[in-house]
Amino acid sequence: MGGVTRRSVLAGAGLAALAAPGRASAAVADEYDVVVVGSGAAGMTAALTAAKRGLRTVVIEKAPTFGGSTARSGAGIWLPNNRVILAAGVPDTPQKAASYLSAVVGASVPLARQQAFLQYGPPMLDFVMANSPLRFRWMEGYSDYYPELPGGMPNGRSIEPDMLDGNVLGAELARLNPPYIQTPAGMVIFGADYKWVTLAAVNAKGFAVAAECVARGTAAAAAGKKPLTMGQALAGGLRAGLLQAGVPVLLNTPMVDLHVENGAVRGVVTPQGLIRATKAVIIGSGGFEHNPAMRAQYQPQPAQWSVGAKENTGDGIRAGQRLGAALDLMDDAWWGPAIPLPDQPYFCLVERTLPGGLMVDATGKRFVNEAAPYGDVVHVMYDKGVVPAWLIVDQNYRNRYLFKDVAPVLPFPQAWFDSGAVVKAPTIDALATAIGVPAATLRSTVSRFNGFALAGKDRDFRRGDSAYDHYYTDPGVFPSSSLASLWLPPYYAFKVVPGDLGTKGGMKTDERARVLRADGSVVEGLYAAGNASAAVMGRSYAGAGSTIGPAMTFGYIAARDIT
């Protein structure tokens, strides 16, 4: 069947009636075997899998663009034992991966779901490479987040998309959701490059990597290519696969509700009409990070600084809940410290871990290992009531490192200061006064931290003890690349709040990605993957790409399960 057209529906008529689940009188706009809700990594992987199984498949997308949060992301993919890392010589095994995931997740996630992710992740990637132009690269050195646990890998298991020529998308390229942060013009940058580009002013390898990024950009331009990397490449490559498979992606088509026939989900109600599914609906519509009412109901407060796609308002989760779906992990998210810049929150991944910075609470004291996995840092912020926190750095730090997209030495935009997100002062005492913390305490905190830096050992929070702590650091700093003294005025304080990449809770699913009720029974005809489902990572985060890797895998599992 073709896509929804204006002629195929009664435009605007009877929407209230269409919204009622189970109402068989809804005008049918179109019919497919499988309707997929959402065009992020979960939805597009599911749709591609279903289509290649010979099922008539459509993707509906609320936004005017495709790609969702995936297109905005760095597109790291945590996927043990996949072909890419094994070919690169990563010494992974199924046993190591199972031990590690179990140690990270614990008993909060059923073993069957953990095993399904590990079992089907590698063939999912093989399938995607066989049915799309996507190719992938190992993010060498990007440590698992807890490499000291059994099965953990200090050199990492994460992969990311290789460069994709946007020309393969034709006119669809214009409908790709833009990235969270634009790549500098003329450069082709991979996620694994950022570690080094940040250090380009002070590190020979950093300078060389930056030069390579420019060379890639020059070569791509000379060849007439439109280079895409990271989330742009992943979303673009999956969309290209759908184009090749003849799967329509209907933009500006939100889900109003699910449609039920004889107790089974058999379609999706949209403003354009009912899109019927003869076999199943797969929900990949993302989380609820931009639904203030849901965040107020389920999450610790304040919680409002998300970099997820703005259309993620929990539509799929609420529709499933209306049919009796059980929910889990609704109080959690893919947290990370963020700086509330005036245009949008800045997910502070690199800057808080570089040597020469420390984070303090309202009393002027450190409260966490600043270089710990980002989700852990925010969990501590909530547990200890530290909202906001402050990241303190000096001019030496500013002279050495890229901060967001501001080159070393260059001044920050005045709007950052005007908004209160950044404060600058000539002394530690003056900085303390400006941010409202006790001057004597902050002075003592900095002095103690400087002593740790000189010794190369953080005796308070063990910053630098884990291999992960050293990924986004400066190898030119001794005795610990994770620690450096603050000594050169002026000093800066950055407001730090609990940001996120998206929410983590959603519909409970089983190892087959089927949506479950509270009593464990299956909502027939309904599957969920990605942030519309409760995460297989539970309350933790195994490594870079622990959102996208499982999202794609359970999308693949869902489509394979449909009969």
Side-chain angles (χ1 to χ4, degrees), residues 113-422:
R113 287 193 71 213
Q114 297 180 43
Q115 291 172 334
F117 166 59
L118 296 176
Q119 177 183 348
Y120 288 101
M124 176 279 293
L125 195 74
D126 291 345
F127 169 84
V128 166
M129 288 193 287
N131 292 283
S132 79
L134 283 165
R135 297 296 178 266
F136 298 89
R137 304 158 56 97
W138 176 38
M139 302 177 77
E140 183 176 3
Y142 203 150
S143 171
D144 284 344
Y145 288 175
Y146 307 97
E148 295 78 23
L149 292 179
M153 300 199 126
N155 223 20
R157 294 176 161 102
S158 301
I159 60 172
E160 63 174 319
D162 208 339
M163 190 188 83
L164 180 78
D165 182 2
N167 287 314
V168 301
L169 287 166
E172 283 298 296
L173 180 59
R175 290 180 273 276
L176 174 60
N177 199 23
Y180 159 55
I181 297 178
Q182 290 286 350
T183 298
M187 299 180 78
V188 173
I189 300 178
F190 296 113
D193 294 333
Y194 271 106
K195 163 189 170 74
W196 297 107
V197 171
T198 300
L199 305 173
V202 294
N203 181 277
K205 182 172 180 179
F207 182 83
V209 169
E212 185 180 354
C213 293
V214 173
R216 286 192 208 118
T218 302
K225 295 180 179 179
K226 297 176 180 177
L228 304 176
T229 58
M230 296 181 280
Q232 296 286 283
L234 182 56
L238 288 170
R239 182 69 183 94
L242 294 182
L243 284 170
Q244 294 165 6
V247 176
V249 176
L250 309 181
L251 303 178
N252 297 300
T253 307
M255 177 179 70
V256 176
D257 215 333
L258 292 165
H259 173 73
V260 178
E261 297 176 9
N262 301 317
V265 174
R266 286 294 180 261
V268 174
V269 179
T270 77
Q272 292 91 339
L274 169 64
I275 305 179
R276 194 165 179 277
T278 63
K279 293 184 178 294
V281 171
I282 303 174
I283 304 291
S285 55
F288 59 94
E289 55 266 24
H290 291 291
N291 184 322
M294 290 183 74
R295 297 205 81 148
Q297 178 181 357
Y298 292 110
Q299 301 218 297
Q301 296 299 309
Q304 64 195 58
W305 299 278
S306 182
V307 301
K310 65 181 183 295
E311 292 83 7
N312 291 350
T313 55
D315 302 355
I317 297 170
R318 288 180 297 165
Q321 189 178 24
R322 287 192 289 271
L323 295 185
L327 307 183
D328 196 17
L329 299 176
M330 294 292 283
D331 59 333
D332 213 339
W334 302 99
W335 303 116
I339 299 171
L341 297 179
D343 57 340
Q344 65 177 341
Y346 175 61
F347 197 84
C348 193
L349 179 62
V350 181
E351 293 79 3
R352 67 187 165 81
T353 74
L354 287 165
L358 57 92
M359 288 173 62
V360 300
D361 59 18
T363 71
K365 296 180 180 179
R366 289 178 71 212
F367 62 94
V368 71
N369 168 11
E370 298 87 350
Y374 34 92
D376 291 352
V377 174
V378 171
H379 280 137
V380 172
M381 290 175 70
Y382 279 131
D383 290 346
K384 295 186 176 182
V386 184
V387 181
W390 294 93
L391 170 63
I392 312 296
V393 306
D394 69 348
Q395 189 61 43
N396 179 55
Y397 174 107
R398 278 297 302 129
N399 291 344
R400 296 175 65 84
Y401 309 125
L402 180 75
F403 196 105
K404 189 177 180 280
D405 54 0
V406 180
V409 180
L410 294 183
F412 292 125
Q414 184 59 40
W416 292 15
F417 296 101
D418 294 343
S419 71
V422 186

Side-chain angles (χ1 to χ4, degrees), residues 34 36 45-57 127 282 559 562:
V34 179
V36 177
T45 303
L48 185 60
T49 307
K52 289 298 180 178
R53 292 189 60 221
L55 300 173
R56 297 169 302 145
T57 305
F127 169 84
I282 303 174
I562 295 169

